[in-house]
Amino acid sequence: MRGTTTLLLLVLLCCRTGFTTNPEIEEEELRARDFIQLLNKKTEEQNNRLTLAHWAYASNITDANLQHQLAVSAEVAKERKENWLEVIKFNWNTFSDYDLKRQFKKYSKLGSDALPEEKLNRLNKITSEMEKIYSTAKICAFDNNSTCDLALEPELTQTLANSRNPEELKHVWVEWRNAVGPHCRLLFEEYVDLSNEAARLNNFTNTAESWLDGYEDPQFRQQIESLWEQLKPLYLQIHAYVRFQLKKKYGDVVSEKGPIPAHLLGNMWAQRWRNVAQFNLPYPDKEEVDLTAELRAQNYTVDKIFRTAEDFFKSINLTEMPQTFWERSILEKPKDREMVCHASAWDFYDRKDFRIKQCTAITMEHFTTAHHEMGHVEYFIQYKNQPVKFRRGANSGFHEAVGDLISLSVESRKHLRKIGLLKSESDDPENVLNNLFQIGLDKIVFLPFGYLMDLWRWDVFEGKITPDEYNCKWWELREKYQGVEPPVNRTDQDFDPAAKYHIIASVPYIRYFVSFVIQFQFHRAVCEKAGQYDANDPSKPLHECDIYQNTEAGNALKKMLQLGSSRPWPDAIEVLTGQRTMDASALLEYFKPLHKWLEQENKKNKVFIGWEKSTKGCVNTKDKAKPE
Ligand SMILES: *[C@@H]1O[C@H](CO)[C@@H](O)[C@H](O)[C@H]1NC(C)=O
Ligand SMILES: *[C@@H]1O[C@H](CO)[C@@H](O)[C@H](O)[C@H]1NC(C)=O
Ligand SMILES: *[C@@H]1O[C@H](CO)[C@@H](O)[C@H](O)[C@H]1NC(C)=O
Ligand SMILES: *[C@@H]1O[C@H](CO)[C@@H](O)[C@H](O)[C@H]1NC(C)=O
Ligand SMILES: *[C@@H]1O[C@H](CO)[C@@H](O)[C@H](O)[C@H]1NC(C)=O
Ligand SMILES: *[C@@H]1O[C@H](CO)[C@@H](O)[C@H](O)[C@H]1NC(C)=O
Ligand SMILES: *[C@@H]1O[C@H](CO)[C@@H](O)[C@H](O)[C@H]1NC(C)=O
Ligand SMILES: [Zn+2]
């Protein structure tokens, strides 16, 4: 970071040298400096111990591993509480050293470790239990009720992606929810209570407030809402167009003006629709870039997928994966044990050990996920020399955006051609639009889902949604923001939110919405640096930019990543983009040609924009006897 010329950092550096005249305060700050050095060492060791135990359980779900994980969690919580009691003895608010003060501030929050021991153990046990239910759930096949060992990954995911039989899709959609929801219902209620109690012990009013605290911005919720308002017109167009196409394919299963039935969109949660691109393409007679088919035709292996991702990072002067990454990561689903298949990237806090756990299949979706997860690892590596409390994303959205940013280049036609996944040499506008549409089915379509997940949870934590309304309110939001409805009547006896990993695993979700907005901002910035995007030059549109092998772009990105969370996120985003706020204009710019095309097409076909009310999400069962 030294030698940087940005005004911002100069200002920060100058303030850090500000001197105090009170010798007592100065003495305390000197003492604090020694204290924090020791504490950072301890914290690295504790985080390492805890992460190893989590990994052991998540990669091998057994009772023994659970017991071990819970024991280590309890042990570390106790140590953290002791440390915290020392931390708050310092008058850290008066410290003149910016870094030191910021570390103390982060240490002064205790998280769920603030709970009394028994309650903390219970909270940890509940979340592990829900993860186990989710990760080991199995359902029966649609056409063979003696095959009852189908798991979310790979079987159900593949059926949702590939089947075009609405009855089969409905079966898988409903059975998955039945296999998870009811078993998590009571556990989730207890989780909400305990987690709110922990938040209150940290002087937040509830968990929603504590989750939002990480964004260090009291206006954050309003900003998200206003970003969504800017993006909504684009979403409405793609939604209307896809519904129109689906109706042509499925007939009466889809209504002309209603929400789209959620089981027809190629994904268990209807959060990405790319798997149904095939019969939705703007120009069906032109080429369809079916990358899954191409990866298979070219005999891609799991190893080759991850090596391909690594090659991109290396090409822009980011860092290669260490040898231990390849030795310790689990990149294929093990056959001999149960595992949490949900893809994840892990930092073990010793500056050396970084891993990915992913049940990788040879599909386009997993190809993209591999880049996504490796983006996390790249961030870990870039900030590994920061003090341990700064080894986080500038905010959680930044962490989710790194790998996706790379994928935006990878999915350009220029790059697909470069790595041999696109054979066609022609970049006529219709081919380009088909490609942009497919990316839109990932990126545009995700936005309302990425927003509503936490709209629901914020209200749950705030007590605005009570347990007897969990499911109805869930579908109210799914309908309001996404314009989807369930394929069958749902009631408040169901618990559909639990069918999504991040809900039962207690992973906040607004980070993904943030990521989907800022990754386009990052993309615009690196593409400008690479000389591949120019707002005034129509021959260099944003969606055709590929920063592969451009070290200038990579170095600029690296500068931001290396900051970790040592500065509030507006400082970090400014390092890369020159802007200090989240801004939807880059995403809108990227999709401008598609937006225009969708508007014309929908107008031409007199397609209804928006949706009328559905009744399926909440059928009142209050009159009926509740099943035991
Ligand atoms: C899974 O965990 C059990 C302990 O519960 C252990 O005996 C076994 O060796 C582990 N399996 C693998 C592949 O690590
Ligand atoms: C299994 O499926 C067959 C054919 O669909 C059906 O006749 C039979 O009743 C089913 N068996 C069970 C146990 O559900
Ligand atoms: C149904 O599943 C059973 C168990 O997996 C298998 O043995 C059988 O061959 C399957 N039947 C059909 C018709 O696929
Ligand atoms: C919460 O506030 C109380 C009263 O000001 C204080 O004693 C306590 O240390 C605070 N707890 C945390 C975790 O900040
Ligand atoms: C993929 O493997 C098949 C069967 O081993 C082989 O015939 C084919 O040439 C391979 N394709 C490529 C692109 O290597
Ligand atoms: C790559 O990054 C390193 C620092 O991480 C830097 O010293 C080097 O100059 C960079 N190379 C290029 C070609 O920019
Ligand atoms: C779904 O609920 C509606 C009432 O909202 C009812 O009219 C309809 O018959 C139900 N459908 C099924 C299949 O139960
Ligand atoms: Zn991620």
Side-chain angles (χ1 to χ4, degrees):
M1 286 308 27
R2 244 179 303 171
T4 177
T5 52
T6 71
L7 183 59
L8 158 78
L9 287 181
L10 284 176
V11 169
L12 290 172
L13 287 170
C14 100
C15 300
R16 285 160 59 187
T17 59
F19 51 89
T20 47
T21 45
N22 185 334
E24 254 171 60
I25 292 182
E26 224 167 45
E27 197 249 77
E28 188 187 15
E29 194 163 338
L30 284 175
R31 205 156 44 75
R33 213 175 291 240
D34 290 340
F35 170 82
I36 213 92
Q37 259 189 1
L38 268 176
L39 181 55
N40 283 350
K41 264 216 179 73
K42 272 194 232 170
T43 301
E44 282 182 339
E45 185 279 321
Q46 288 159 356
N47 289 0
N48 179 256
R49 208 178 337 140
L50 193 59
T51 313
L52 284 168
H54 273 152
W55 174 272
Y57 177 61
S59 63
N60 180 7
I61 301 178
T62 68
D63 281 341
N65 290 342
L66 175 59
Q67 289 319 316
H68 177 66
Q69 185 207 299
L70 293 176
V72 173
S73 297
E75 188 182 285
V76 167
K78 209 165 148 213
E79 294 169 24
R80 280 183 181 161
K81 226 180 263 181
E82 284 161 13
N83 297 337
W84 176 79
L85 285 171
E86 295 301 310
V87 166
I88 58 171
K89 283 185 192 155
F90 286 87
N91 249 320
W92 55 267
N93 251 318
T94 65
F95 290 172
S96 58
D97 183 319
Y98 181 91
D99 278 354
L100 190 64
K101 189 169 163 184
R102 190 164 171 85
Q103 288 181 74
F104 267 88
K105 186 175 168 204
K106 289 182 181 287
Y107 274 118
S108 77
K109 295 284 173 204
L110 195 49
S112 54
D113 293 336
L115 283 172
E117 190 174 335
E118 240 162 70
K119 288 188 170 172
L120 176 63
N121 290 346
R122 180 69 192 151
L123 178 59
N124 286 336
K125 195 160 176 221
I126 290 170
T127 27
S128 307
E129 183 64 27
M130 287 195 287
E131 271 206 74
K132 178 179 169 182
I133 292 166
Y134 185 98
S135 300
T136 60
K138 305 280 189 308
I139 73 164
C140 299
F142 172 61
D143 52 5
N144 183 346
N145 50 21
S146 7
T147 300
C148 288
D149 59 351
L150 305 186
L152 179 64
E153 295 190 48
E155 290 91 356
L156 307 188
T157 304
Q158 273 172 19
T159 305
L160 257 297
N162 301 323
S163 170
R164 306 296 181 228
N165 174 352
E167 286 304 313
E168 180 178 23
L169 291 167
K170 185 161 82 183
H171 166 84
V172 168
W173 192 98
V174 170
E175 290 306 310
W176 168 248
R177 280 158 181 78
N178 288 347
V180 179
H183 306 283
C184 289
R185 177 65 188 248
L186 290 174
L187 292 170
F188 188 83
E189 284 185 43
E190 206 183 337
Y191 151 81
V192 170
D193 289 343
L194 285 170
S195 148
N196 272 339
E197 193 174 333
R200 285 192 298 269
L201 290 170
N202 283 279
N203 296 333
F204 295 113
T205 44
N206 56 53
T207 305
E209 197 182 301
S210 93
W211 282 5
L212 286 164
D213 184 57
Y215 292 94
E216 302 181 85
D217 178 357
Q219 300 300 313
F220 190 73
R221 274 185 78 160
Q222 289 93 310
Q223 280 183 45
I224 297 288
E225 175 63 26
S226 114
L227 288 169
W228 166 242
E229 286 301 326
Q230 278 173 271
L231 295 164
K232 192 170 157 188
L234 174 58
Y235 179 69
L236 290 180
Q237 291 296 327
I238 201 165
H239 173 280
Y241 170 78
V242 168
R243 180 182 51 199
F244 180 72
Q245 297 294 326
L246 286 172
K247 182 151 186 62
K248 278 201 253 172
K249 178 160 185 77
Y250 289 115
D252 285 348
V253 182
V254 181
S255 75
E256 198 185 320
K257 296 183 177 175
I260 303 176
H263 61 312
L264 303 178
L265 291 162
N267 173 280
M268 186 59 93
W269 309 276
Q271 69 183 67
R272 294 180 182 207
W273 306 352
R274 194 174 181 136
N275 290 320
V276 297
Q278 202 185 25
F279 52 91
N280 281 316
L281 285 182
Y283 297 100
D285 301 333
K286 296 298 233 178
E287 66 185 34
E288 183 215 350
V289 185
D290 181 351
L291 290 171
T292 294
E294 201 52 51
L295 290 168
R296 289 185 182 157
Q298 297 195 22
N299 301 334
Y300 261 75
T301 58
V302 169
D303 186 64
K304 183 159 181 203
I305 285 179
F306 282 89
R307 296 284 176 184
T308 304
E310 185 193 33
D311 175 65
F312 197 112
F313 285 100
K314 275 159 63 180
S315 87
I316 58 171
N317 200 27
L318 293 181
T319 310
E320 67 181 0
M321 299 293 111
Q323 188 53 35
T324 48
F325 169 87
W326 299 106
E327 289 162 8
R328 297 175 187 173
S329 290
I330 300 176
L331 304 179
E332 291 184 71
K333 183 173 178 169
K335 292 197 172 68
D336 59 345
R337 60 186 192 269
E338 294 283 2
M339 172 168 116
V340 178
C341 262
H342 189 87
S344 51
W346 299 60
D347 181 354
F348 288 78
Y349 293 94
D350 63 356
R351 297 188 167 89
K352 298 189 291 266
D353 194 351
F354 312 99
R355 308 179 198 173
I356 288 173
K357 184 174 62 51
Q358 183 175 340
C359 298
T360 317
I362 310 297
T363 64
M364 173 56 195
E365 210 167 321
H366 276 275
F367 185 73
T368 308
T369 304
H371 287 78
H372 175 91
E373 299 303 336
M374 200 173 276
H376 285 305
V377 175
E378 195 60 55
Y379 215 156
F380 299 153
I381 293 175
Q382 294 308 328
Y383 61 49
K384 72 185 161 89
N385 292 321
Q386 288 282 355
V388 61
K389 279 294 188 184
F390 295 161
R391 288 184 218 159
R392 302 285 293 271
N395 68 39
S396 316
F398 281 59
H399 231 301
E400 302 303 334
V402 180
D404 285 17
L405 165 68
I406 299 305
S407 287
L408 287 179
S409 278
V410 172
E411 290 174 18
S412 69
R413 295 174 63 82
K414 209 181 287 178
H415 191 78
L416 292 176
R417 198 172 285 133
K418 214 171 274 167
I419 59 176
L421 289 175
L422 177 63
K423 294 289 155 38
S424 143
E425 288 297 326
S426 149
D427 274 335
D428 76 54
E430 300 187 347
N431 282 339
V432 170
L433 205 79
N434 273 355
N435 194 46
L436 199 55
F437 174 73
Q438 285 178 286
I439 298 170
L441 287 185
D442 268 351
K443 300 291 182 186
I444 301 168
V445 150
F446 178 79
L447 295 163
F449 184 77
Y451 186 21
L452 75 84
M453 281 272 289
D454 279 357
L455 279 177
W456 183 80
R457 273 189 296 189
W458 292 335
D459 278 356
V460 166
F461 287 128
E462 286 169 1
K464 290 182 188 152
I465 296 177
T466 55
D468 62 326
E469 307 169 314
Y470 277 169
N471 214 55
C472 280
K473 293 289 181 188
W474 169 254
W475 281 108
E476 218 175 279
L477 290 165
R478 292 266 275 167
E479 180 179 321
K480 178 175 174 195
Y481 287 89
Q482 279 188 286
V484 300
E485 66 175 8
V488 298
N489 284 346
R490 304 307 273 169
T491 76
D492 260 319
Q493 307 303 311
D494 301 308
F495 187 41
D496 296 329
K500 175 70 191 166
Y501 177 78
H502 301 71
I503 301 253
I504 53 88
S506 191
V507 184
Y509 211 75
I510 201 64
R511 59 183 60 175
Y512 297 98
F513 180 89
V514 171
S515 161
F516 274 56
V517 172
I518 64 177
Q519 62 187 249
F520 286 91
Q521 253 176 296
F522 295 172
H523 186 62
R524 181 169 63 189
V526 292
C527 290
E528 268 169 0
K529 287 187 205 312
Q532 295 211 19
Y533 168 68
D534 182 343
N536 299 313
D537 181 352
S539 77
K540 292 181 174 174
L542 192 51
H543 61 271
E544 282 178 16
C545 156
D546 168 22
I547 62 164
Y548 188 63
Q549 290 175 328
N550 192 296
T551 53
E552 204 175 319
N555 290 339
L557 175 61
K558 181 156 40 176
K559 221 179 212 168
M560 179 179 78
L561 300 184
Q562 284 174 340
L563 284 174
S565 64
S566 61
R567 296 286 179 276
W569 66 263
D571 292 3
I573 199 170
E574 188 175 22
V575 165
L576 181 62
T577 68
Q579 299 176 280
R580 292 186 58 83
T581 53
M582 297 181 285
D583 172 8
S585 71
L587 190 156
L588 291 170
E589 167 72 14
Y590 182 97
F591 286 112
K592 205 162 63 183
L594 177 66
H595 196 169
K596 217 154 117 200
W597 184 88
L598 289 167
E599 278 176 348
Q600 284 167 359
E601 189 69 12
N602 285 333
K603 201 175 236 172
K604 193 177 83 196
N605 295 319
K606 301 192 169 58
V607 175
F608 184 73
I609 308 290
W611 47 86
E612 294 174 343
K613 272 204 86 51
S614 159
T615 54
K616 284 186 172 165
C618 186
V619 175
N620 197 339
T621 50
K622 291 226 170 77
D623 307 335
K624 291 185 193 160
K626 286 191 181 178
E628 286 306 309

